[in-house]
Amino acid sequence: MADVLIIDDDLDSADALSEAMRAEGHDVRVGYNGQDGLRLARERVPDVALLDVEMPLLDGPGMVYQMFLHDMGLEDVPIVFLSGVADLPAVAASAGTPYFLGKPYRYEQVVTLVGRALAEGVAPRPRRA
Amino acid sequence: MTTRSAFERTAIAGFAILTLLLVFGTTFSIRRFATEADAQVRATRAEEAEITRVERLRWNAELIFSSGRGYLLSGEPALLAQVKESRQRFDQTMAELRRQHLSPARRALVDEAGRAASSYIQVQQELIDARPHSDDPRVLARRFEIEQLPLSRDLARTLSRLVDDMMVGLNEHYEATSVERAALAARLYGLLAALLLAAVGTGGYFARRLGGSLEKERVALETAHKAVAARDELMGIVAHDLRNPLGAITMKAALMRKGTDADRTRQQAESIENIAMRMEYLIQTMLDVTTLEARRFTVNVGPCALADLLRETAEMFGTVAASKQVRFEQSAKEPGLVLLVDRERVLQVLSNLIGNALKFTPPGGHVTLSVERQGAMVQFGVFDTGSGIASENVARVFERFWTETPGKKGTGLGLFIAKGIIDAHGGRIWVESKLGHGTRFFFTLPIAEVAAEDVASAQAGATPHLV
């Protein structure tokens, strides 16, 4: 039982993922862009954040950067990138997080990865800073 | 390298032949000029040599005259020797002169001089012979002066005339040669100028041709690069936009596999169906773009009732608008009009424009679809009270991949396809917008040229589900 924050502008993806996380027994909140995500994270610091990369208003890496730089207490939240972008490993590396999974992924893969992120709790260290 | 046209081949051959002729002409002229100049120099030297001989004749005559007079007065034998030597030289020079190729007039003058000289010498010899026997040399000198002076004057005059004649001849010769030389030089300069012109012309032509073909190649390469870049971009969009729904389907399927609640499972199956349809729509969009770009896009037109289009859009967007708290209105003065269009394609345009309008209109605003007749066309208008488009972007909205929110939501292909569809109908699509004052899209479509009694059947045919 963990507090999971899901941010994805693709409603179907967000919907499916949140259902899966709920099925795994987690407490889930959903946002549809980076700004949404920052607002929700400030309201209550999540145990893990699952982010899409390309989103309107504020993208995934941008949100990680904001969390790291400006919001006290949010810099230790482990980040999992879930996206269909071609250069996902590079994006994750530049955001400084070891957790990422390309779309489309299998149910078990994402559950395992989120479990690992929760257990290890490695916080991102963005290179842009 | 581009292929050469027959005209170009002919032109090149013409240039080559012309240049060759000019080169030959110039070479020949230079040779002519050189030989002509040589001949002239030789002729001038010959003339000058003749004048020198005549001058020598005059000088020797002078010596014969003065030495002879001196001898008669003094009886000095050295002077007599001088006379003899001078006579010898005179004869020698005369002989030389006669050997030359002379004009008849000049030869007559030379002969006259010869005659004058021999009569003078004859008289002089008589007096010289008389000298040893004479008592008073002054008498002899006196006689000499009386008898010889006119003769010596004759000789001197004749020789002077000869010199004058030769001078005139020489001057004429000088003038003639200078005129000839000038003509030759002019011809040579003309040929050189023509050669230069031909060279410049040929060079310029080939430089332009080369530049033109280089430019063409550069443009072709740029176009190819752009096409490749556009295709890569499209492939990127396809990959990304298909992975999102695929991910959702995978997850939903896994949940169905794990789930036990029948209702929940049915909902998930429904959701998978919807997502799959949206993927199909996306694939259709990509295919439309591909056909539009290949200029192979066509529409299947047929009679279509305007009322049918209005009803369809109202059904499609009524609930969406309501859920967004946006009012969706339609206004049509002549809903009975029949259009000659591809019904599905026009619905695609309408749903794109109305969908966009709803997306960018905040709650409390409204979206209007207005239709009015304009001659043989019908003008559709889709108006919203949304944020509007920045003036610098208004011209770009129909470009491929243009979106109001770059790189994020939407493929940026909807309006590009809409323009393709309207263009294929022979209509026109445009937009009026101002940031903060909403957006107004317009497009025109043709009215079907059908008789009044056919309208009802056309309407029935176009909307079979209404009957």
Side-chain angles (χ1 to χ4, degrees):
Chain A
M1 170 78 187
D3 189 354
V4 177
L5 183 58
I6 295 171
I7 312 295
D8 195 328
D9 65 325
D10 186 65
L11 300 188
D12 296 324
S13 298
D15 181 36
L17 188 58
S18 60
E19 210 176 318
M21 288 297 110
R22 282 199 192 97
E24 288 300 304
H26 297 305
D27 191 3
V28 178
R29 287 175 295 158
V30 181
Y32 299 105
N33 60 57
Q35 302 278 25
D36 264 3
L38 283 179
R39 186 175 49 76
L40 292 169
R42 264 178 234 136
E43 278 172 11
R44 197 176 74 229
V45 179
D47 293 324
V48 65
L50 315 186
L51 308 184
D52 188 13
V53 171
E54 289 188 344
M55 291 185 290
L57 294 177
L58 182 65
D59 64 8
M63 181 182 157
V64 173
Y65 184 57
Q66 291 288 330
M67 287 169 75
F68 180 76
L69 206 66
H70 297 299
D71 293 291
M72 288 299 288
L74 294 184
E75 70 270 24
D76 291 330
V77 176
I79 302 290
V80 179
F81 276 122
L82 301 170
S83 169
V85 294
D87 55 345
L88 185 59
V91 171
S94 111
T97 181
Y99 313 119
F100 59 89
L101 193 55
K103 285 179 185 174
Y105 40 73
R106 297 183 68 84
Y107 184 96
E108 285 73 18
Q109 281 180 302
V110 71
V111 168
T112 311
L113 184 64
V114 170
R116 220 183 89 205
L118 283 169
E120 298 173 355
V122 175
R125 288 292 170 261
R127 236 186 262 156
R128 280 201 269 177
Chain B
M1 211 44 205
T2 46
T3 52
R4 288 176 178 159
S5 70
F7 171 77
E8 275 179 321
R9 276 197 300 273
T10 317
I12 289 166
F15 263 132
I17 291 168
L18 185 68
T19 312
L20 215 63
L21 281 177
L22 283 167
V23 168
F24 277 133
T26 312
T27 316
F28 175 73
S29 286
I30 289 171
R31 278 180 60 87
R32 257 301 292 285
F33 190 81
T35 43
E36 195 74 16
D38 270 1
Q40 281 174 5
V41 166
R42 271 198 301 276
T44 310
R45 274 208 197 115
E47 289 269 326
E48 281 166 352
E50 266 177 42
I51 288 179
T52 313
R53 284 193 192 95
V54 175
E55 286 291 350
R56 203 180 290 157
L57 274 186
R58 203 148 69 160
W59 178 241
N60 279 318
E62 210 54 52
L63 269 177
I64 293 166
F65 176 68
S66 56
S67 310
R69 188 166 176 271
Y71 173 73
L72 287 178
L73 282 171
S74 63
E76 185 67 49
L79 285 173
L80 186 61
Q82 178 80 63
V83 169
K84 278 185 179 147
E85 197 192 325
S86 295
R87 276 185 195 162
Q88 230 167 21
R89 273 211 214 100
F90 188 92
D91 289 343
Q92 202 181 324
T93 311
M94 191 57 113
E96 268 175 31
L97 201 54
R98 281 208 169 103
R99 275 203 300 275
Q100 300 303 311
H101 182 76
L102 296 171
S103 68
R106 202 167 288 172
R107 186 164 292 280
L109 277 172
V110 170
D111 288 346
E112 199 183 324
R115 277 195 301 279
S118 53
S119 48
Y120 171 81
I121 286 167
Q122 196 189 333
V123 173
Q124 188 188 45
Q125 193 53 49
E126 276 171 22
L127 290 171
I128 286 172
D129 290 344
R131 175 66 173 80
H133 317 291
S134 172
D135 303 328
D136 187 355
R138 268 171 306 184
V139 176
L140 283 178
R142 185 83 198 130
R143 250 192 81 191
F144 172 80
E145 267 172 25
I146 292 163
E147 290 176 15
Q148 292 229 275
L149 219 52
L151 285 173
S152 75
R153 272 186 196 138
D154 271 359
L155 178 59
R157 212 175 292 131
T158 311
L159 287 174
S160 286
R161 272 167 62 202
L162 193 56
V163 170
D164 285 352
D165 180 70
M166 282 182 162
M167 285 311 288
V168 169
L170 191 62
N171 278 339
E172 273 170 7
H173 191 78
Y174 277 144
E175 256 161 48
T177 56
S178 78
V179 166
E180 208 171 325
R181 256 206 303 263
L184 261 176
R187 201 168 78 186
L188 198 59
Y189 283 133
L191 274 170
L192 278 174
L195 195 62
L196 203 68
L197 266 176
V200 167
T202 319
Y205 171 79
F206 282 110
R208 253 206 317 282
R209 209 187 118 84
L210 190 64
S213 70
L214 283 181
E215 173 67 14
K216 252 185 247 159
E217 260 168 56
R218 196 185 60 75
V219 168
L221 199 66
E222 211 166 88
T223 314
H225 279 157
K226 268 191 197 151
V228 169
R231 201 195 55 200
D232 287 353
E233 201 171 357
L234 196 63
M235 290 309 290
I237 288 172
V238 169
H240 181 254
D241 288 10
L242 288 180
R243 274 174 178 162
N244 264 332
L246 269 180
I249 288 173
T250 319
M251 294 304 280
K252 299 242 177 202
L255 285 165
M256 281 173 77
R257 165 160 59 82
K258 290 172 174 288
T260 45
D261 184 349
D263 261 7
R264 194 90 199 94
T265 307
R266 195 176 43 76
Q267 274 176 24
Q268 282 157 344
E270 229 169 69
S271 166
I272 286 174
E273 222 176 306
N274 289 336
I275 295 167
M277 287 318 290
R278 272 203 287 285
M279 289 176 74
E280 160 55 21
Y281 174 75
L282 188 68
I283 289 167
Q284 188 55 49
T285 304
M286 298 304 169
L287 287 175
D288 286 351
V289 170
T290 315
T291 33
L292 273 174
E293 281 179 342
R295 306 193 193 291
R296 280 191 274 105
F297 190 79
T298 50
V299 286
N300 301 315
V301 297
C304 172
L306 174 58
D308 172 46
L309 293 174
L310 293 175
R311 186 189 49 75
E312 190 89 1
T313 46
E315 272 175 18
M316 229 190 297
F317 289 101
T319 43
V320 182
S323 76
K324 282 203 72 183
Q325 291 167 289
V326 172
R327 253 194 17 240
F328 177 50
E329 293 164 346
Q330 295 183 332
S331 88
K333 287 199 189 90
E334 295 174 72
L337 283 174
V338 176
L339 310 178
L340 190 64
V341 296
D342 187 326
R343 182 177 176 278
E344 295 309 314
R345 289 300 192 180
V346 171
L347 278 174
Q348 192 182 341
V349 174
L350 281 168
S351 71
N352 180 274
L353 293 181
I354 297 168
N356 276 347
L358 288 171
K359 192 159 76 183
F360 292 108
T361 303
H366 46 264
V367 169
T368 312
L369 170 63
S370 99
V371 188
E372 55 184 75
R373 185 181 185 146
Q374 289 201 337
M377 304 292 272
V378 164
Q379 180 179 308
F380 286 76
V382 177
F383 313 144
D384 69 48
T385 57
S387 49
I389 304 165
S391 55
E392 67 265 26
N393 286 333
V394 166
R396 299 187 51 215
V397 296
F398 297 109
E399 281 177 20
R400 209 176 49 161
F401 300 134
W402 184 86
T403 67
E404 184 62 31
T405 49
K408 315 297 178 193
K409 201 70 187 155
T411 54
L413 296 169
L415 286 174
F416 175 71
I417 294 169
K419 182 172 167 23
I421 291 170
I422 299 301
D423 285 350
H425 279 92
R428 207 161 73 81
I429 185 166
W430 70 99
V431 61
E432 292 170 5
S433 184
K434 220 168 139 187
L435 215 54
H437 290 85
T439 306
R440 295 153 70 87
F441 274 95
F442 298 93
F443 62 90
T444 60
L445 288 171
I447 294 172
E449 298 287 335
V450 287
E453 58 263 30
D454 293 339
V455 171
S457 60
Q459 223 162 335
T463 60
H465 48 286
L466 264 188
V467 189

